[in-house]
Amino acid sequence: MLRYRGANPFDEKPHIFSIAEAALQDLRYNQRDQCVIVSGESGAGKTESSKILLRYIAAGLAHQKKLVDIQNQLLLTNHIMEAFGNAKTIRNDNSSRFGKYMDVQLNGQEEPIGGEISTYLLEKSRVVHISKGERNFHIFYMLLSGLNPTQLNSLFLESDPTKYEMLSKSGCFEAGRDDKQEMEYMIRAMDSLSFSQKTQESIFKCVAAVLLLGNLVFGKQEGQTGQDKASCVTNMDVVTQLASLLSVDSDQLCKSLTNRSIRDSAKKSKILVPLDVQESAYSRDAIAKCLYERLFFKVISQINEKLNANKSKSKSFKIGVLDIYGFEIFEKNSFEQLVINYSNEKLQQLFINLTLKAEQDDYSREEIAWEGVQYFNNQPICEMIEAKNVGLLSLLNEETTRPGEPTDLTLLEKLDTHLSKNQHYDSYCKTKNDKRLVMAVFMIRHYAGDVIYEVDGFLKKNKDELHKDVLYCLNASADPFVKSIFPETDSGDAIAKRPDTLATQLKNSMVGLMTDLSKKNPHYIRCIRPNHNKVPKQFDLEYVTSQWRYLGLLENIHVKRAGFCFRKEYHLFLRGFGMLCPKTWPNYPGTPREGVQMLMEHLKIPEEEYKFGKTMVFVRKPTIVMQLEKLKIEIKYRLAIKIQAVWRGHLAKKQYKRIRSKCIIIQAWYKMVKNQQKYLLQRKCALTITRVFRGHLARKKFKKLLAKLPRYASVAIQRSVRRYFARKMIRNIKHDVKRADGRWATIKWPKAPSKLTTASDMLLLFYRRIKALQFRRKLDIDDAMRQLYKFRILSRDLLGQKAAWKVSLKVPMTVDHIGGHDLKVKWPKLGIHERVDRAMPATKLNRHDPVTEQPRFIILTEKQVVVVDPKSWSIKEQIPLGDISEISVSKFRDGLIVLHCEHSKKGDLLLRNDELVVDFVTQLYQSVRAFREPKLSVQEM
C-alpha cells in the first residue's frame, strides 16, 4: 500500500490501490469530489474490490486517535452490511443482494472524517424464495451458529437450520465461510459503531421473528357457517413465540395474519374480511419480507448516524464507492433479475457517456482531427425499459394498478402490443420460430447478452402489497425498536396514500444515483469473472473475451490509443504546471493559451506530442505527463526547501527575541528584589535606632514627670494628652496648608483623632471657603489679564499632555516675538493689512529631507498664515486659515509643528520652535475658530 501512496499512477503496476491513489490525487489538485464505480458480472469480485479500495482510502495518513477510530468504523461497516445484505448464489458464494454506495468524507489532509451509506433495492424476495443450491441471507446462518444455546432459547431458536422452512427449501447450508466467526466479527463491529446491547438484542429478535414466520402453517377453519374459506393458524405456539419476540399481542397478530379489514367510508366503520389459506400464506411472506427489509434499512440508518456524527463543518471532499449487484443470467429469470440487469444497463450507459462518448465529443468540440471509433450504445435499451408511458416499467406499473383482475399474461400481452416493434424486445408473439420463447416469457437483448424473463409473479412482486392491519399491529409493539421501523398508525377515516411500486422505486433510485455520480469525477474498476465454476487458476478465454467485449473495453482502448491520454483546460494546465517556466510563474499576464504555448516551447516538447483545442490542451503520450509531474515535484521540492529556510529563520529570530526579553525581565526583577531587600534592611535599622532613642527619651521624661505629679493625676493627664493631640493636629494642618500653596482645592487633609473629627471637618470647610474667596478676589482683574487666563486654560485643554506645556507658562504673552521694527511699519511692506495675531521666528523643515532646515518668520493674521524669509524679507508661502484641516504636535519637549493643508500645492508645512510652540498652536486654534465654523483638530503625535 505504501508503494502507491503519493506515486504517479503510470509508475506502478495496475492495481486497485493505483485507482484509489488517482482519485485522491485528482481530489488534491482539482479540489472536486470523486467516485469509483465497481462493475462486472455477479461473482466477478466487485465486493472484494470495493473493500480493498475502501481500505486504501480509509488508511489515510492519520495519527490522531479520533481519526483512527473513524477509519476502523468505515472498514467495520462491511461486516454488518455483508451479514444482512449478502447471500450465496449459484454464481457467487458472497453475492451482494443490494446496491451499495458509500460516500467517504475527507478533510484537507485527505484523512477520513466521516461517511454515509446509501442502499438500493434489497432483494427481499430471497427471504421467502430461494433457488436450489443457494442460501438465504448470511445473518440467518450466522445467528444459528454464532449464539450459545441460552441465547438461542431466549429467541425460541435451534442451531439446526433444517428446522426452518425459509432455509431448508434450497437444501444448501454451507457457503465456504465460518458463520460462527463471522458472527463474532459482526458483533464486534456493532460494538465499535455504538450499537447498544439493547439495540443488538432487538435486531436479533427481529431476525429470529423472520425465521419463525416461515414456519407458520395455515389450514382451513371449520365449524363456522359462512366461513368455509376462512383460514386459521395450525401451530399457535409459533404465533405466541412471534408475539413475544416482537412484543405485540398474540391474538391481534393472529387476527392480522388471517384477516384483513376494509374501511366502510359511509358507515365510518371497518369490515373484517377473512383470508383463505393461500392469501394468508401470501400475507405471511409479505410480513417476513417487509420486516427484514425495514430491519436492514434501520441497521444502515444506525451506521449512518454514527458515521455522520463525526462529520466536520469545515471544508471537506467526498470519494464515493459504488458496489452494485452484477449482471445476472440464470436458467429462470424473474422480476429480481430485471431489476438487477436494468441497474447494470444504467451504469453501462453512464460509462459510455463519460468515457467513449464524452472523449470523442471533446475532440469534436475542440476541433481536433479525429477518426471516430464505433461502439455499442445501450441508450435504446434504457429508453425501452424506462420510457414514460410506453416503457417496460411504466407498462408494468399501469398493469399493476389498473382496476379489474390483471394477470401476468395480460401484462405480457400489453408488452407485446407496445414493444413488439423494438429490436431489443422479443417474445413468442413476435418470433414464434424461436424455441427459447414459450408462451409466458419475453426476452430483452441486453448489452451483456439476451435474457429470457418469466412473467410469472411480476405483478405480485411489483405491487408488494402488505395489509395495513399487520403494520398497525406491529406499530403497537412495546419494543421501541420494532415501533420505530413500523411508524404507521391507524389514521381513522384518513385515506392512506398508495405506496410506490417496486418499479417506481427502482426508477427513482436510479435517477438519483445517476445524478449523484454525474456530479463527481468518475473512476472505474471493471471486474472480469475468469470462469463459470467458481474455482481459482482457471481461465476461460472465450468467456472472458465475451465480457470485455460487451463491457466496451476494446473500444475504450482504441479511443485511448488513437487519441490523447491527457487533456486539461488552459487555465487549469497553466495553474498546475506554470511553475516549470520562469515566464509563466507565478502569474502570466497574457491569455492562458499563450501561457501554455510558451510553457511547451520552454520545455522543448515536440509539437506532434500535443495539440491545442479551443479551450483545452491535449497531450498524446503519458510519458510526457509523467515528465511534467516529475519536474513539478522537483521544483516544489526546491521551493519547499526555500520556504523551510525562511520559516526556520523566522522561528529562530522569534525565539531569540523571546529569550532576550525574558532575560531582561529576569534581570530587572532580580535587581528590583536586591534593591528592595537593601532598602528594607536599611529602613529596619533606622527604625530600630529611632525607636530605641525615642524610648530612651520617653523613659527619661517620664521619670521627671513622675516625680512632679500629684497622687491622683489621671484627669490632668487625659486633659494634657487631648491638648497635645489637638496641638499636633493644628500643626499638621498648618504644615499641609503651607505645602499645598496654590493646590488648595485638592489638598489632602490630615487625619484627626476620633474626638476631634467634628472640629477637623469644620476647619476644612472654613479653609476651603477662605481660599475660594481669596481666589475669586484675585480674579477681579482687568480684561487683558482675564484674556491671558482664558488663553492659558485653552492651551492646557489643547496641549496639557505635552511635556513643554508647563514651561510655556513662563513665556510672556506678546504678539510680536520677532522684534526690531515697528509693527505698523513692518507688515504693510509685506502686503499684510489685516490684524496680526502672532509673529514668531521658526525653523522650516524640508518635508522630503527633514534634516535640511531653513530659518523663517511665521506671521499669523486673522485670515492667513504667512511664511517670510528673514534675509530678503519676502513672502515664501501664504496659507489661508480655511485650508488648514488639522495640526499635529509632538507630545514631547520638542517644538515640532505640522500644519495639514487641504488645497496647498506644496503639501503640509513642517515648523519647529521649542519655546513658542504652545502659544502659537493655541493662538492658531483661536484664529481658525473665529474665522470658520468647524473647529480645528489638534492631534498629539
Side-chain angles (χ1 to χ4, degrees), residues 31-272:
Q31 301 287 297
R32 57 180 176 177
D33 293 341
Q34 309 289 313
C35 68
V36 181
I37 302 173
V38 186
S39 60
E41 283 194 6
S42 178
K46 298 185 299 302
T47 301
E48 293 303 318
S49 298
S50 64
K51 287 195 288 187
I52 295 172
L53 180 77
L54 187 62
R55 189 170 78 246
Y56 186 90
I57 296 172
L61 301 173
H63 300 289
Q64 301 179 26
K65 183 179 183 304
K66 180 181 178 182
L67 295 180
V68 172
D69 291 341
I70 296 171
Q71 295 170 5
N72 294 334
Q73 290 168 3
L74 288 171
L75 297 175
L76 288 173
T77 56
N78 287 315
H79 292 292
I80 302 175
M81 289 190 293
E82 286 188 12
F84 285 90
N86 287 25
K88 177 185 177 180
T89 64
I90 296 175
R91 309 184 69 179
N92 186 2
D93 288 347
N94 189 31
S95 176
S96 297
R97 310 317 296 166
F98 69 105
K100 177 185 69 177
Y101 180 69
M102 174 178 279
D103 261 332
V104 181
Q105 186 184 20
L106 306 175
N107 60 14
Q109 289 74 42
E110 299 176 13
E111 297 167 333
I113 57 175
E116 184 174 4
I117 300 171
S118 302
T119 57
Y120 302 94
L121 295 175
L122 175 71
E123 188 191 5
K124 58 184 178 181
S125 61
R126 177 170 291 272
V127 174
V128 294
H129 299 293
I130 318 173
S131 301
K132 291 292 182 180
E134 295 188 354
R135 286 207 325 174
N136 215 313
F137 290 103
H138 292 324
I139 185 63
F140 297 120
Y141 307 91
M142 291 165 55
L143 193 72
L144 299 179
S145 301
L147 298 184
N148 57 49
T150 305
Q151 293 173 318
L152 288 174
N153 289 333
S154 65
L155 298 175
F156 308 106
L157 297 179
E158 299 179 26
S159 59
D160 185 5
T162 60
K163 300 284 186 180
Y164 303 99
E165 184 68 19
M166 289 182 177
L167 307 183
S168 60
K169 290 179 180 178
S170 65
C172 178
F173 304 102
E174 299 295 333
R177 51 188 277 142
D178 189 342
D179 292 320
K180 184 176 182 180
Q181 188 178 30
E182 292 295 332
M183 185 68 178
E184 294 176 0
Y185 291 156
M186 189 197 72
I187 293 176
R188 199 179 307 162
M190 284 185 169
D191 293 336
S192 177
L193 290 166
S194 302
F195 280 70
S196 64
Q197 192 64 33
K198 188 174 182 181
T199 301
Q200 294 184 34
E201 291 175 358
S202 297
I203 291 173
F204 297 155
K205 285 182 179 179
C206 291
V207 175
V210 173
L211 281 177
L212 293 177
L213 276 168
N215 286 354
L216 278 177
V217 180
F218 298 94
K220 289 186 178 180
Q221 188 175 1
E222 299 178 356
Q224 295 187 20
T225 307
Q227 292 188 354
D228 295 336
K229 293 184 179 180
S231 63
C232 65
V233 180
T234 59
N235 49 350
M236 283 300 296
D237 55 327
V238 178
V239 177
T240 305
Q241 294 170 356
L242 282 170
S244 176
L245 292 172
L246 299 175
S247 300
V248 297
D249 182 68
S250 59
D251 294 336
Q252 188 65 30
L253 179 61
C254 183
K255 183 178 178 182
S256 62
L257 285 167
T258 56
N259 298 272
R260 67 183 180 93
S261 60
I262 301 175
R263 186 173 299 279
D264 187 349
S265 57
K267 297 181 180 181
K268 296 183 179 180
S269 61
K270 291 182 179 179
I271 301 173
L272 201 63

Side-chain angles (χ1 to χ4, degrees), residues 591-638:
T591 62
R593 175 168 180 164
E594 294 173 352
V596 173
Q597 188 169 3
M598 183 175 294
L599 175 63
M600 293 297 192
E601 292 173 357
H602 174 77
L603 297 174
K604 298 180 180 180
I605 298 176
E607 293 185 1
E608 62 270 12
E609 297 298 335
Y610 64 90
K611 294 290 183 182
F612 288 125
K614 287 185 175 181
T615 61
M616 303 172 74
V617 59
F618 295 81
V619 180
R620 189 176 301 277
K621 294 181 180 179
T623 54
I624 302 296
V625 182
M626 292 169 59
Q627 181 184 355
L628 294 176
E629 289 289 349
K630 288 179 180 179
L631 291 174
K632 182 178 177 181
I633 291 172
E634 292 176 2
I635 292 178
K636 279 187 174 181
Y637 180 74
R638 292 199 294 268

Side-chain angles (χ1 to χ4, degrees), residues 369-405:
W370 170 257
E371 184 178 349
V373 175
Q374 298 298 323
Y375 58 90
F376 176 75
N377 191 351
N378 70 334
Q379 177 70 24
I381 302 176
C382 296
E383 291 178 353
M384 180 193 73
I385 297 175
E386 65 184 9
K388 189 175 181 180
N389 298 329
V390 294
L392 190 150
L393 296 180
S394 297
L395 296 174
L396 175 60
N397 285 336
E398 181 181 336
E399 190 68 13
T400 302
T401 57
R402 77 174 177 86
E405 296 183 0

Side-chain angles (χ1 to χ4, degrees), residues 405-650:
E405 296 183 0
T407 63
D408 296 323
L409 293 178
T410 60
L411 168 65
L412 183 59
E413 292 176 3
K414 180 169 288 189
L415 295 179
D416 290 337
T417 303
H418 291 84
L419 303 179
S420 58
K421 294 181 181 180
N422 194 300
Q423 61 178 345
H424 300 288
Y425 174 86
D426 205 348
S427 67
Y428 177 79
C429 180
K430 181 179 178 181
T431 309
K432 295 185 179 181
N433 57 355
D434 192 339
K435 296 180 179 180
R436 297 176 300 170
L437 302 176
V438 294
M439 290 298 298
V441 301
F442 66 91
M443 183 175 68
I444 296 179
R445 294 184 173 88
H446 289 283
Y447 77 97
D450 299 345
V451 182
I452 298 175
Y453 298 99
E454 297 182 0
V455 295
D456 184 29
F458 258 60
L459 295 182
K460 189 176 293 185
K461 293 176 182 178
N462 183 45
K463 192 173 184 179
D464 194 36
E465 188 176 12
L466 180 64
H467 300 310
K468 296 293 182 181
D469 304 83
V470 179
L471 299 178
Y472 299 152
C473 174
L474 294 176
N475 175 260
S477 171
D479 187 343
F481 184 85
V482 177
K483 193 177 184 71
S484 66
I485 61 178
F486 289 97
E488 293 85 358
T489 57
D490 193 351
S491 56
D493 296 332
I495 299 175
K497 180 183 177 182
R498 175 181 290 173
D500 291 336
T501 62
L502 284 184
T504 302
Q505 296 176 32
L506 169 66
K507 189 175 179 180
N508 294 338
S509 62
M510 284 297 106
V511 170
L513 177 61
M514 295 301 113
T515 303
D516 194 11
L517 293 177
S518 61
K519 293 179 181 178
K520 299 177 179 178
N521 185 49
H523 304 267
Y524 297 93
I525 297 176
R526 307 294 253 175
C527 298
I528 303 295
R529 190 179 181 192
N531 57 76
H532 290 283
N533 304 322
K534 295 193 293 185
V535 294
K537 299 180 181 180
Q538 186 180 102
F539 194 82
D540 188 339
L541 180 60
E542 183 180 354
Y543 180 45
V544 171
T545 303
S546 68
Q547 291 180 71
W548 59 255
R549 280 189 184 280
Y550 71 66
L551 287 174
L553 299 183
L554 183 62
E555 292 84 354
N556 195 25
I557 293 172
H558 287 166
V559 171
K560 292 294 182 183
R561 280 195 170 184
F564 298 84
C565 72
F566 179 84
R567 66 185 61 80
K568 187 76 73 174
E569 289 84 355
Y570 290 123
H571 67 282
L572 295 177
F573 188 88
L574 195 61
R575 186 176 69 184
F577 300 104
M579 62 176 65
L580 303 182
C581 176
K583 296 181 180 179
T584 59
W585 179 260
N587 294 308
Y588 181 69
T591 62
R593 175 168 180 164
E594 294 173 352
V596 173
Q597 188 169 3
M598 183 175 294
L599 175 63
M600 293 297 192
E601 292 173 357
H602 174 77
L603 297 174
K604 298 180 180 180
I605 298 176
E607 293 185 1
E608 62 270 12
E609 297 298 335
Y610 64 90
K611 294 290 183 182
F612 288 125
K614 287 185 175 181
T615 61
M616 303 172 74
V617 59
F618 295 81
V619 180
R620 189 176 301 277
K621 294 181 180 179
T623 54
I624 302 296
V625 182
M626 292 169 59
Q627 181 184 355
L628 294 176
E629 289 289 349
K630 288 179 180 179
L631 291 174
K632 182 178 177 181
I633 291 172
E634 292 176 2
I635 292 178
K636 279 187 174 181
Y637 180 74
R638 292 199 294 268
L639 290 175
I641 292 176
K642 289 183 180 180
I643 294 172
Q644 286 177 352
V646 174
W647 177 246
R648 286 171 180 170
H650 167 73

